[in-house]
Amino acid sequence: MATLENQKIVLVTGGTGLVGQAIKKIATQQNDPLYHFIFVGSQQANLINFEETRNLFEKYKPNFVIHLAAMVGGLFKNLRQNVEFFRYNMSINDNILNCCRIYNVEKCVSCLSTCIFPDKITYPINETQLHLGPPHSSNEGYSYAKRMLEVLSRLYNNQYGSKFVCVVPTNVYGPHDNYNLEDSHVIPGLIHKCYNSMKQNSDFVVWGSGKPLRQFIFSEDLARLFLWVLKNYEKSEPLILSVAEKHEVSIETVATLISKSMNFNGNLIFDSSKADGQFKKTVSNERLMELIPDFQFTPIEIAIEESCQWFLQNYETARK
């Protein structure tokens, strides 16, 4: 049995958020005696500040880092604050990777997003297409900052022999999400809207046509994949973490599933006067399935049901 002295310390930035809490749950379930996980959020350190970031590394002296921390938000927050999304995320990523080098971290797994891929591109998207054109203009601040995280990781690997790898999840959802109606992602935002419609006995109004297509990944599935990458993925190239193309669904389908899971019996209306954003950004999970062919994703019907129930049971304390 490994003791704390010979366990590998894994520092998880953004550890209090959606993906961090899912990793915490799955790591606890797996109970691997070789790893000791430390989950930190913005209350422990402001990662935009280098000295605070360095103090965090000095305190824990991690062997591994899972880097999730970022300024994030939905379509409309991105449209309003592209400058802030670029500047803050560039600072966070620079500080984290610099500290990983200074403290000789064995491996850093950083989280990107499929929204950073080029807007005009052939589908399905694969890992080689990351830099082949500009991202969608709606979130280019966030997208370019995340692209530079991949570039900086590669430069560290080449110059210092680091082992910094980036993974690219599709749209993540699940317990502990951000349900703020102004800056949430699509699924938590729709869950909260549906809840309000039930309480107010009003129509459930979804912004946009409902036609755009997305590949959604349940946070607990993503957590299992993060831990697999941490322990098993030895290549330096980015890796897309996603359900298959055949599991891509429309926003209309998602809204309908949420209505069913929340037992909403009113009218579901799509407001086409609101922006849809990018129509589709289908990605290929072919490389992932070659590496881990037996991995089973949670069906979206089950995962949305679990997500809705978590929100209902934790409404008072959920981020909103």
Side-chain angles (χ1 to χ4, degrees):
M1 185 72 175
T3 63
L4 189 58
E5 287 73 24
N6 58 22
Q7 284 181 313
K8 298 289 188 179
I9 303 297
V10 184
L11 179 66
V12 183
T13 71
T16 59
L18 166 66
V19 181
Q21 287 297 296
I23 291 175
K24 188 175 187 178
K25 177 179 179 179
I26 301 304
T28 301
Q29 289 176 356
Q30 293 181 353
N31 195 27
D32 190 329
L34 297 180
Y35 298 90
H36 177 69
F37 287 82
I38 296 169
F39 296 85
V40 296
S42 56
Q43 291 185 337
Q44 283 75 37
N46 175 11
L47 300 179
I48 296 172
N49 181 287
F50 175 73
E51 288 306 319
E52 289 196 34
T53 307
R54 185 165 187 161
N55 289 340
L56 186 71
F57 276 70
E58 179 63 31
K59 179 178 181 180
Y60 294 114
K61 294 183 172 61
N63 305 101
F64 296 91
V65 171
I66 295 178
H67 176 35
L68 308 174
M71 178 183 177
V72 297
L75 169 64
F76 298 98
K77 185 176 181 180
N78 270 276
L79 285 167
R80 293 193 308 268
Q81 300 184 46
N82 264 304
V83 170
E84 288 76 16
F85 273 96
F86 183 82
R87 293 185 64 237
Y88 296 164
N89 285 308
M90 287 287 286
S91 296
I92 291 168
N93 298 335
D94 184 36
N95 291 337
I96 289 294
L97 293 193
N98 192 15
C99 285
C100 283
R101 178 191 64 83
I102 292 169
Y103 286 87
N104 297 311
V105 166
E106 295 177 33
K107 187 176 188 178
C108 176
V109 182
S110 295
C111 189
L112 307 183
S113 167
T114 51
C115 72
I116 75 176
F117 279 100
D119 182 30
K120 308 297 183 185
I121 201 164
T122 56
Y123 296 101
I125 299 166
N126 64 47
E127 290 85 353
T128 67
Q129 297 171 292
L130 182 58
H131 300 288
L132 295 186
H136 194 270
S137 60
S138 64
N139 63 350
E140 62 181 341
Y142 176 84
S143 296
Y144 276 118
K146 283 293 190 179
R147 285 191 189 186
M148 290 307 101
L149 174 54
E150 189 279 326
V151 171
L152 190 57
S153 296
R154 180 157 33 91
L155 294 177
Y156 271 108
N157 293 344
N158 293 339
Q159 185 170 335
Y160 293 102
S162 304
K163 190 181 286 186
F164 298 165
V165 64
C166 295
V167 295
V168 193
T170 42
N171 301 269
V172 192
Y173 68 100
H176 300 279
D177 215 329
N178 172 17
Y179 298 88
N180 186 292
L181 293 175
E182 293 296 318
D183 63 11
S184 64
H185 287 105
V186 59
I187 287 183
L190 291 178
I191 290 173
H192 195 176
K193 271 193 172 184
C194 185
Y195 176 87
N196 288 346
S197 297
M198 291 170 63
K199 291 298 181 183
Q200 298 162 7
N201 196 27
S202 60
D203 295 335
F204 178 19
V205 180
V206 178
W207 286 7
S209 68
K211 303 304 179 187
L213 302 171
R214 294 291 182 269
Q215 288 157 292
F216 293 99
I217 183 168
F218 188 42
S219 58
E220 294 178 16
D221 292 341
L222 181 58
R224 292 182 181 92
L225 291 173
F226 255 103
L227 294 174
W228 179 87
V229 169
L230 181 75
K231 300 172 185 180
N232 300 286
Y233 187 65
E234 295 300 322
K235 298 182 179 180
S236 59
E237 295 84 6
L239 181 64
I240 290 172
L241 306 181
S242 173
V243 299
E245 182 180 359
K246 66 183 179 180
H247 295 304
E248 192 173 46
V249 296
S250 70
I251 303 303
E252 182 178 7
T253 297
V254 169
T256 302
L257 288 172
I258 289 171
S259 296
K260 181 180 178 182
S261 296
M262 299 284 280
N263 293 317
F264 175 73
N265 297 314
N267 297 316
L268 174 58
I269 296 173
F270 294 90
D271 181 359
S272 297
S273 70
K274 303 295 185 182
D276 270 335
Q278 206 167 348
F279 177 72
K280 66 180 293 183
K281 45 188 178 182
T282 313
V283 300
S284 168
N285 73 345
E286 186 174 329
R287 274 192 66 205
L288 176 66
M289 290 296 96
E290 288 174 355
L291 293 166
I292 183 169
D294 296 329
F295 188 84
Q296 296 294 315
F297 291 93
T298 306
I300 191 169
E301 298 84 358
I302 294 172
I304 283 184
E305 171 72 25
E306 287 189 25
S307 301
C308 289
Q309 292 307 310
W310 186 90
F311 178 75
L312 292 172
Q313 292 164 12
N314 296 274
Y315 177 80
E316 295 302 325
T317 56
R319 287 184 294 160
K320 57 186 184 303

